[in-house]
Amino acid sequence: MHGSPLRFAVLGPLQAWRGDVRLDLGPVRQQALLAALLLRLGTTVSRQQLLDGVWGPEPPGTGAKVVPVYVHQLRRRLDTEAGSTSGSVIVTDRGGYRFDERGVRTDVARLREIVEEAHSARDSGDPAAAVSAWSAALDLFHGEPLSALPGPFAEAERLRLLEYRLVLVRDKVEYQLRLGRHAEVVAELFALSATHPHNESVAALLMRALYAANRQADALSVFTKVRRRLVEEQGAEPGAELRRVHEAVLRADEGLLVGAPPPASRSTDRRPPAARPLRRLRNELPVDVGGFTGRSHELDALLAPMDEQAVTVRAVDGVAGVGKTALVVRAARAVRDRFPDGCLFVDLNGHRQGREPAVPERVLRRLLRAVGGLTEGDDDPSGDVERLAASWRAATAFLRLMVVVDDARAAEQVRPLLPAGPGSLVLVTSRRRLTGLDVDRRMSLAPLETDEAEALLTGVVGGTASDPERAAVRELARLCDRLPLALRVVGARMQSRPLWALERMVVRLADDEHRLEELAAEDRSVEAAFQVSYDQLPDAQRRAFRVLGLSPTVSFDRLTLAALLGITPPAAERVLESLVEASLVQEAVTGRYRLHDLVAVYARRVAAAYPPEVAAARAGVFRLYVAAARRASDWGPVAFPTGPRADTAPFADGEEATEWLDAAGGELVEVVAQAVTVGHVDDAGRLAEGLCDYFTRQGRYHECRAAVEIVLPLTEQLTDERMVSQLRTCMGIAYGLQGHYGQARRWLGEALRISRRTGDVLEQARALGSLGIFANAAGEPAEAAALLAESADLSRGVEDDWLAVMYLANVGAVHHQVGEKDKAQECYAAAVGLAERIGRPRLLSKTLFRMGTLQLDRGHHAQAADALTRAAELAERVGDFPLLAAVLGRLAAAEECLGNPAGAARFHAEAQAAVGGRPGAGLKAEIRNRLGWHQAATEDLLQARDRFERAVARSRTASGELG
């Protein structure tokens, strides 16, 4: 992102400036989408979340497909380089969009900063400065936040910010009253009570201000009016706070109404002097880690304000080596002065190799000695945990302590160690999520950000003045998975080998097989740290952890683990959740999991000791991917006569299988490559074939070809001979749908020759049919007729309904183009009926599109709209957006003919949204190629028609379903 910083104001009407130039943010719905991103600055928001937040229960007809259109318009208005997504303030992430927080200023962020200043001034005993800061924070509001913006998200944020403003007013007024500045607040509170007539807290403050101003009667009048309003309008009496203030006014209770003056010092010790121990402050905190880097957000969370009347417990969990102890010690040392009775440190040794976990009784005795609650003579070795815990609570009842509990294995280890003194703080670290422990805040620590990891390594190693050195440091950070333990081990090894170059260490770590061996220095070892966590797992979880290292994609779900282990999906989900609790598996998004990179390397290393288990797991998971691809394909089960059946996949229908493949994102080609690498060449070929329809309908032609090209050089290793010709057919389809007809013909011709040589009738029919479709698209209808006729003749013996529908639709297209509309209608109707019976939504959508176009040409506009509406719903459902754009364009024409210009305009807009910013000429070519449609010369079509009719007649004779 370049140019002047962007400034946004949301505490009023949404406004934006670049430098001093006010920006036009467009229509209000577009502004609402901007607000939904802006108020989640730095967080990825999915398209569905944006759709729900901006449109609520009434989304547009295109659903989430309208979101990219709005994002594109916002980029044009906000970015300095219009049309460029590189460096845009709105970043496209997998699964949604994220507003880049760099170089962006918002009044909400400034509000938080000023409020923190107010709290700091209040806590340090400077109430006047706190009031001044609260006033400055309130000055940032310029009317109703996000005023006039539609949608549930804007409404919820508007209410939240208004409530927050009310809280700030109450905090400010409270301290103005304590400072005796009651005259300043009476008018403000009268105005506030007028806009919040049922808010009892505001009424209570107003009564207190009036009393302080010697207006006792007016204060009592406020209570009378509020009580009458509550009783008459809501049938309720005032709450405890307002009644208490009312009674205080009657009693002239100065202490409650005006409040004690603020303390003049920072001391938080409210005990009488006699209750304070006369002993030396004990500080057991470890030495702070040198070169501590990053973690600012996590530190802020650990150091957030506490409840002074209770014991605050905060827990940090995460994978071994992620820096939990270093973070907690840094946080503890930052606030140690707030705990006048000491800072204690307890290491429970929950995950230390070669060391037994700490015994609770021994830990409690040590803690009691630390606070003077146990002397050597009192140290009864027979004392049980319950008695010692009770003594600990009694000894700490009047103490304000900080206790750091490091490396806990379970919640029951920690509970007896909690002190009882109000205002005390307990910081807990564990590799497990201690869900059985009640905490104020819980965080799962992730590896460092890339720049933080580079900074840590640079600080240890030094140098990195040149570009090659910086590149090497970046690569080392990646190979260390940005884990602080791994980074420090690498740094230590580099320090002890000054002649080693950074590039040499990169080479040593790049080998997965030996990477963990390189990440060890004396008693520090990444592998040893992982092994302790692994050894503590039950047998079933250990087996699951091992096979997860074999997942062909970085992220996975319960179906993946179920296939790897041969268990049910619910059982797999339970195991995954237990591994998440152990911090060995990370839940990336809901229902999707992943292993940290180094953890995955360790899992594969452990799995290598179980060859039969590895073989079974790989066979199961590749079989799942093949079955999913076939289930998602519109071609149907007949197209895949060898290998896993599509109905063996755990998906209800093709749409569910498609969603599952979508979750793999851009890793599907890597799955094919991994299958080849581990020797599952047949699975690789079947997966590449099954993904052909999935990839091409989404316009992912390069990925389709890449998947096939991985397997093609290995066709001699295929035991499934059908793949040899079918993979070439897939290449031809991918090229043909892009309009590269010459390359398509070469690949399809080769597939035809191979299938003729092997006698595979199905593959011959598919190759001939594809050749015919692309010949028609290329403007050669006579050639197309001959090819499709031959394909139809061959297809009689294979009973492929998908081919049958395709042929009928193409025959109808020929009749349609030469003006024989009745015959076209007959062919389309037969094709629609068969497509409905076999349940192929995409094929049905394409055929209904042709039917609707024919009805439109015949002047049957209502029937055309019905057919096209169904076609649009199906195209959107299967995610074929070029097809959807074509259908919506014809639907707009139907609406115009029906005298509905508003509806026509809406469908035109939805058609544009369906394809985003794709170029018009390329889109038209793609639509034509997908539909096999070509406006050829009439005489050529007349010559071709007889060939089509003979082919269809033969097909009808062979299959009663087509009659």
Side-chain angles (χ1 to χ4, degrees):
M1 185 172 59
H2 307 288
S4 303
L6 278 170
R7 293 184 295 116
F8 291 92
V10 301
L11 302 175
L14 180 61
Q15 299 179 77
W17 298 265
R18 182 174 292 284
D20 296 327
V21 179
R22 172 86 173 272
L23 302 180
D24 179 7
L25 298 177
V28 291
R29 191 77 69 177
Q30 186 170 291
Q31 293 183 39
L33 190 141
L34 171 60
L37 289 169
L38 193 61
L39 288 173
R40 297 175 174 118
L41 205 61
T43 301
T44 299
V45 188
S46 71
R47 290 187 183 184
Q48 191 60 47
Q49 287 176 307
L50 291 170
L51 188 74
D52 295 341
V54 176
W55 282 270
E58 297 181 357
T62 55
K65 309 308 178 299
V66 74
V67 172
V69 178
Y70 276 37
V71 169
H72 174 71
Q73 294 298 329
L74 285 170
R75 283 171 172 157
R76 292 182 60 189
R77 295 174 185 273
L78 298 177
D79 295 343
T80 54
E81 297 179 9
S84 172
T85 59
S86 175
S88 174
V89 293
I90 302 178
V91 180
T92 300
D93 280 343
R94 182 184 297 180
Y97 300 96
R98 170 173 52 85
F99 208 105
D100 193 340
E101 55 191 328
R102 294 171 298 176
V104 174
R105 302 173 187 169
T106 66
D107 55 356
V108 171
R110 180 58 184 148
L111 179 70
R112 286 195 294 265
E113 292 172 359
I114 298 175
V115 171
E116 287 177 5
E117 293 172 8
H119 291 168
S120 178
R122 176 197 62 192
D123 295 342
S124 64
D126 190 350
V131 169
S132 177
W134 274 314
S135 298
L138 289 166
D139 287 342
L140 293 175
F141 286 84
H142 297 283
E144 184 180 66
L146 302 173
S147 59
L149 291 193
F153 178 84
E155 179 62 24
E157 287 298 299
R158 190 158 37 244
L159 294 174
R160 182 183 69 82
L161 290 169
L162 285 172
E163 183 62 28
Y164 188 52
R165 180 180 182 275
L166 197 58
V167 169
L168 297 180
V169 171
R170 291 202 299 263
D171 288 345
K172 177 178 74 77
V173 168
E174 175 69 40
Y175 274 80
Q176 284 175 302
L177 291 176
R178 293 190 185 191
L179 290 167
R181 292 156 57 175
H182 45 270
E184 297 177 7
V185 300
V186 169
E188 181 179 8
L189 287 172
F190 266 122
L192 199 60
S193 65
T195 56
H196 297 82
H198 299 95
N199 191 300
E200 296 181 40
S201 295
V202 173
L205 285 171
L206 177 57
M207 290 176 67
R208 290 172 58 191
L210 289 169
Y211 176 86
N214 294 319
R215 297 170 61 181
Q216 184 178 22
D218 289 337
L220 294 172
S221 175
V222 169
F223 176 82
T224 301
K225 291 177 181 177
V226 171
R227 180 182 180 278
R228 182 185 305 118
R229 188 180 297 118
L230 291 171
V231 171
E232 292 178 355
E233 297 180 12
Q234 299 183 358
E237 289 288 341
E241 179 190 9
L242 192 59
R243 291 199 308 271
R244 187 165 55 250
V245 171
H246 177 242
E247 292 169 2
V249 172
L250 293 173
R251 295 195 313 269
D253 186 344
E254 297 275 345
L256 175 62
L257 295 172
V258 180
S265 70
R266 293 183 56 183
S267 174
T268 55
D269 193 348
R270 300 184 181 88
R271 294 167 296 168
R276 300 177 190 171
L278 298 175
R279 59 183 178 80
R280 185 178 177 183
L281 174 68
R282 189 179 183 95
N283 180 8
E284 298 180 349
L285 295 178
V287 175
D288 205 354
V289 176
F292 186 91
T293 304
R295 305 298 195 195
S296 58
H297 294 302
E298 292 86 351
L299 281 170
D300 288 344
L302 287 177
L303 300 177
M306 304 180 304
D307 184 350
E308 300 293 335
Q309 305 304 315
V311 176
T312 299
V313 182
R314 290 172 179 167
V316 179
D317 61 74
V319 68
V322 79
K324 302 179 292 294
T325 303
L327 170 67
V328 165
V329 169
R330 172 58 62 99
R333 296 184 74 85
V335 295
R336 60 187 175 183
D337 292 343
R338 300 183 190 175
F339 301 93
D341 299 312
C343 303
L344 308 180
F345 185 89
V346 177
D347 188 347
L348 296 182
N349 298 324
H351 303 86
R352 297 290 167 85
Q353 192 174 39
R355 298 185 65 179
E356 291 295 322
V359 179
E361 293 90 332
R362 187 176 300 167
V363 173
L364 283 167
R365 290 191 193 98
R366 189 181 76 72
L367 289 173
L368 281 165
R369 281 195 294 271
V371 298
L374 189 71
T375 64
E376 292 298 329
D378 296 329
D379 194 357
D380 179 8
S382 64
D384 59 21
V385 173
E386 288 78 9
R387 186 180 69 79
L388 289 168
S391 298
W392 167 245
R393 290 192 296 272
T396 58
F398 294 102
L399 301 182
R400 183 181 172 98
L401 290 168
M402 182 194 324
V403 181
V404 176
V405 181
D406 191 38
D407 196 20
R409 183 185 290 189
E412 53 265 27
Q413 284 185 297
V414 180
R415 290 194 205 101
L417 311 182
L418 301 180
S424 293
L425 172 65
V426 181
L427 300 177
V428 185
T429 75
S430 175
R431 295 188 189 179
R432 304 187 65 86
R433 291 183 180 175
L434 305 180
T435 52
L437 184 67
D438 293 330
V439 302
D440 169 64
R441 298 197 178 199
R442 188 190 312 276
M443 69 178 69
S444 295
L445 206 59
L448 294 168
E449 296 295 330
T450 299
D451 56 345
E452 295 171 347
E454 292 175 21
L456 190 156
L457 189 56
T458 300
V460 176
V461 175
T464 70
S466 65
D467 288 342
E469 284 182 323
R470 283 193 291 270
V473 166
R474 188 175 307 113
E475 182 63 10
L476 281 175
R478 185 190 70 80
L479 291 169
C480 290
D481 200 15
R482 309 187 312 283
L483 284 179
L485 173 61
L487 292 164
R488 291 186 181 280
V489 168
V490 166
R493 295 195 64 192
M494 294 293 297
Q495 288 173 336
S496 65
R497 303 284 198 282
L499 297 180
W500 281 13
L502 289 165
E503 291 85 351
R504 181 178 178 185
M505 182 57 81
V506 169
V507 172
R508 296 174 72 93
L509 289 182
D511 182 1
D512 274 2
E513 188 174 347
H514 299 101
R515 189 185 310 176
L516 292 174
E517 295 171 1
E518 298 290 339
L519 295 175
E522 294 188 354
D523 62 340
R524 291 192 296 181
S525 166
V526 173
E527 182 174 11
F530 291 160
Q531 184 177 338
V532 174
S533 296
Y534 171 76
D535 288 343
Q536 291 178 356
L537 296 174
D539 288 343
Q541 292 179 27
R542 281 205 294 267
R543 180 171 176 244
F545 172 74
R546 292 193 297 267
V547 299
L548 284 174
L550 308 173
S551 169
T553 56
V554 172
S555 69
F556 44 81
D557 66 349
R558 65 177 195 160
L559 297 184
T560 308
L561 181 58
L564 286 163
L565 288 177
I567 60 177
T568 65
E573 185 170 20
R574 288 192 293 272
V575 175
L576 281 169
E577 288 302 319
S578 66
L579 291 172
V580 170
E581 293 294 323
S583 293
L584 286 170
V585 169
Q586 175 189 14
E587 188 169 17
V589 296
T590 303
R592 297 289 298 183
Y593 306 84
R594 60 162 293 163
L595 299 176
H596 290 297
D597 291 350
L598 285 177
V599 176
V601 171
Y602 176 73
R604 288 192 291 273
R605 184 166 188 159
V606 178
Y610 301 83
E613 186 178 276
V614 170
R618 282 176 170 157
V621 76
F622 289 133
R623 187 165 53 246
L624 170 66
Y625 272 88
V626 172
R630 291 179 168 185
R631 189 78 166 106
S633 174
D634 204 44
W635 294 352
V638 177
F640 309 107
T642 57
R645 299 198 318 272
D647 58 9
T648 62
F651 305 107
D653 50 32
E655 293 172 53
E656 192 173 304
T658 296
E659 290 178 2
W660 188 80
L661 292 172
D662 287 344
E667 294 187 73
L668 290 172
V669 176
E670 292 301 317
V671 178
V672 177
Q674 189 176 141
V676 166
T677 301
V678 298
H680 286 250
V681 182
D682 280 329
D683 287 329
R686 291 165 183 157
L687 180 56
E689 173 202 27
L691 290 172
C692 179
D693 181 65
Y694 169 80
F695 277 143
T696 55
R697 73 171 178 251
Q698 296 184 11
R700 295 160 67 179
Y701 305 109
H702 175 74
E703 290 175 80
C704 179
R705 294 196 300 270
V708 175
E709 286 168 350
I710 290 171
V711 189
L712 278 176
L714 306 171
T715 51
E716 292 182 358
Q717 301 178 29
L718 291 167
T719 61
D720 189 346
E721 295 181 355
R722 187 182 62 84
M723 287 291 102
V724 179
S725 62
Q726 178 59 8
L727 290 174
R728 287 164 170 79
T729 298
C730 292
M731 287 291 280
I733 290 172
Y735 276 116
L737 289 176
Q738 280 190 289
H740 304 313
Y741 302 124
Q743 291 163 294
R745 284 192 181 105
R746 284 193 292 274
W747 283 107
L748 292 168
E750 191 174 341
L752 181 59
R753 286 190 296 275
I754 294 171
S755 57
R756 280 174 172 164
R757 186 172 65 246
T758 60
D760 191 326
V761 176
L762 173 61
E763 296 309 322
Q764 290 179 58
R766 296 190 73 85
L768 284 164
S770 298
L771 280 166
I773 289 174
F774 296 131
N776 189 32
E780 301 172 359
E783 177 68 13
L787 291 164
L788 287 166
E790 187 177 356
S791 179
D793 192 39
L794 285 171
S795 68
R796 286 181 298 168
V798 296
E799 298 182 355
D800 189 330
D801 291 331
W802 184 87
L803 285 171
V805 175
M806 183 184 70
Y807 302 147
L808 282 170
N810 276 278
V811 172
V814 172
H815 286 307
H816 186 181
Q817 290 183 77
V818 299
E820 296 180 344
K821 297 177 181 177
D822 290 338
K823 290 184 178 181
Q825 174 78 19
E826 180 184 352
C827 290
Y828 288 155
V832 167
L834 181 55
E836 287 177 330
R837 284 200 300 276
I838 64 177
R840 307 285 172 76
R842 181 162 166 256
L843 190 60
L844 178 57
S845 176
K846 291 164 67 174
T847 311
L848 285 167
F849 171 78
R850 290 191 171 110
M851 174 76 84
T853 302
L854 173 65
Q855 297 289 13
L856 200 59
D857 289 349
R858 303 186 79 171
H860 302 163
H861 304 135
Q863 294 93 321
D866 290 342
L868 292 167
T869 298
R870 287 186 62 199
E873 292 170 352
L874 291 165
E876 184 173 16
R877 202 174 89 190
V878 301
D880 193 330
F881 301 116
L883 174 59
L884 175 61
V887 174
L888 290 171
R890 300 304 290 160
L891 192 53
E895 290 296 322
E896 286 179 355
C897 294
L898 288 169
N900 183 8
R906 178 166 60 88
F907 286 127
H908 275 306
E910 291 180 5
Q912 292 176 348
V915 294
R918 299 174 67 176
L923 177 61
K924 290 177 181 177
E926 186 172 339
I927 292 169
R928 183 187 69 236
N929 297 327
R930 284 169 182 264
L931 297 174
W933 184 278
H934 182 73
Q935 297 292 345
T938 301
E939 53 270 23
D940 291 337
L941 293 170
L942 288 170
Q943 292 173 10
R945 186 184 60 204
D946 291 340
R947 286 173 167 171
F948 273 112
E949 289 178 339
R950 284 196 299 272
V952 174
R954 287 196 298 271
S955 295
R956 288 177 174 171
T957 302
S959 175
E961 289 186 352
L962 302 183

